[in-house]
Amino acid sequence: MSFNITHDIFIKQNPYKLFFKIAVPGSIGMLASALYGLIDGLFVSNFLGQTAFSAVNIAYPFVFLTYAVPDLIGIGSSVIIAIKQGEGKKQEADRIFTGAIIAIFTVCLILGLLFTFTSPYLIKMVGASGVLAEYAKNYLAIYSMFLPISGFVFALDNFLRISHFVKTSMFINILMSLIIILLEYLFIGVLHLGVFSAALAACCGFTFAVICSFIPFVFKKTNLHFTKPEFHVKEALLVIKNGTPTFLNNISGKVISIIFNTLLLSLGGEEAVATYGILMYVDWLIIPLLYGMCDSMQPCIGYNYGANEKNRIKIFRNIIFFAALFLCLIAFILCLLIPTEIVKVFTNSQSSEEFILMAKNALIIFSFNYLFRWFAYASQSFFQATGKPLLSASVSISYTFIFPLILIGVLYSFGLIGLWLNIPISALLTAILAFILLIVDYKRNSKKVQNIKY
């Protein structure tokens, strides 16, 4: 796809039409890619039982950590690439793209080896033992072994969106999820292979998605092309700088999840860990939609930012904020209206009434998170798209790490209720911080404009 077509799409198209053209397929694609996780939870909880379900929830934060660095490179480089394209610097954009692909493979190879050998010690660190620890260790080890290939899955999604292959990305994600679901049913439901097979099914699906995603770039169907690699320290630092908000959001959130799981095991045992798992699986349906919608627009906003189209940037910002609010309000209402029905999706006939009641009450408390989450996430995404990684990082790490860590100490005396309250209160505090940062950023930009006119 040529540079002129890119310019026409990002600069000349009606912003509202462009939003539906980019954000809706992006959200559907991200939701489709996340459905495997939901099905994973359903299969494990219904076929293998509560211990296996708890093991998956103990291991998955570590799994997510293995993908945090390649995601940093993918997000960070895509922001720079979009801005370079907006400035008309295609050769620089191609060079950064090529360097990012090489860096992702190198990093994933190292991380895959590291996590493969350290998985037993990581699971033991959380406090798991016996069968629970064995299940969690095997689950994590499979993901680690596949990482050099599967680690590209999230980064390539960003590069496809930059190249306007949003629908292609959506269909790849849908097919990936279908493959994972079919393999999980075969491995767990038919062959009864155990918890590790859930990870194996996911990694096979990831590998399929990576191969399909590379095809448009290999055959030069995109506006991003492989070129002779050149590594510049300044550009590498820019990639890291712009990818840091997402990286911090990923890694800090999973560190907090690990801390949560450790506390939950001590305060409420496997049932408390399983309850937290249900909350995360519910979130797994909402956040991909929010993520896909906001982050799909980042290349467009970055391009307009590079082209200095300030009015269009404002329109895109308003669209993203209102769409995020609408989505989170729906999530909030559903969690309040049918909490028991949602919880029972992740339980089987052997689940106790006490466990179902615990999960129901936790979900009701958790639902208030969505009243504030939309504002924080939309702000974070907008800051990142406009080349303000420090502001974006401040919002993301506050929600995923700083406020939850502080509140763990403040609310610890309330026991399990304190842990459930932690999440919505963190979202409220982060929304307040994001609002302040938006005001500060607006005033700073206004002063710059006045100084230029003067």
Side-chain angles (χ1 to χ4, degrees), residues 23-40:
V24 172
S27 295
I28 294 172
M30 287 304 301
L31 178 61
S33 69
L35 278 178
Y36 86 88
L38 178 64
I39 300 301
D40 180 74

Side-chain angles (χ1 to χ4, degrees), residues 287-451:
I287 295 307
L289 289 171
L290 192 61
Y291 179 89
M293 179 182 61
C294 293
D295 287 27
S296 292
M297 294 301 295
Q298 281 192 9
C300 177
I301 295 173
Y303 192 98
N304 280 270
Y305 185 76
N308 201 31
E309 293 283 342
K310 291 179 178 151
N311 289 332
R312 286 177 66 84
I313 292 172
K314 289 179 182 178
I315 295 172
F316 287 128
R317 179 196 63 195
N318 293 338
I319 293 172
I320 288 173
F321 273 78
F322 279 112
L325 171 60
F326 178 75
L327 175 64
C328 285
L329 277 178
I330 292 175
F332 171 69
I333 292 169
L334 287 175
C335 289
L336 279 185
L337 290 179
I338 52 171
T340 304
E341 289 77 4
I342 293 173
V343 166
K344 286 186 176 180
V345 172
F346 298 95
T347 60
N348 56 30
S349 58
Q350 297 178 348
S351 300
S352 66
E353 289 298 324
E354 292 79 7
F355 169 60
I356 293 173
L357 181 61
M358 176 198 294
K360 171 194 169 184
N361 292 335
L363 181 59
I364 291 172
I365 295 172
F366 176 79
S367 68
F368 286 88
N369 158 68
Y370 294 117
L371 288 181
F372 317 107
R373 182 84 170 273
W374 66 274
F375 190 84
Y377 198 92
S379 301
Q380 169 195 333
S381 184
F382 180 75
F383 285 141
Q384 189 169 14
T386 53
K388 296 162 186 170
L390 182 60
L391 296 181
S392 182
S394 298
V395 175
S396 65
I397 198 172
S398 293
Y399 174 74
T400 58
F401 187 74
I402 294 176
F403 289 138
L405 189 63
I406 293 171
L407 289 171
I408 283 174
V410 173
L411 301 173
Y412 184 77
S413 60
F414 292 93
L416 288 176
I417 296 295
L419 289 175
W420 309 144
L421 284 170
N422 188 308
I423 301 171
I425 295 175
S426 294
L428 169 61
L429 295 174
T430 307
I432 294 171
L433 173 65
F435 180 76
I436 293 171
L437 292 177
L438 281 170
I439 296 294
V440 171
D441 184 57
Y442 175 79
K443 289 183 177 179
R444 184 186 302 159
N445 290 335
S446 298
K447 286 183 179 179
K448 285 183 180 179
V449 172
Q450 290 174 358
N451 291 335

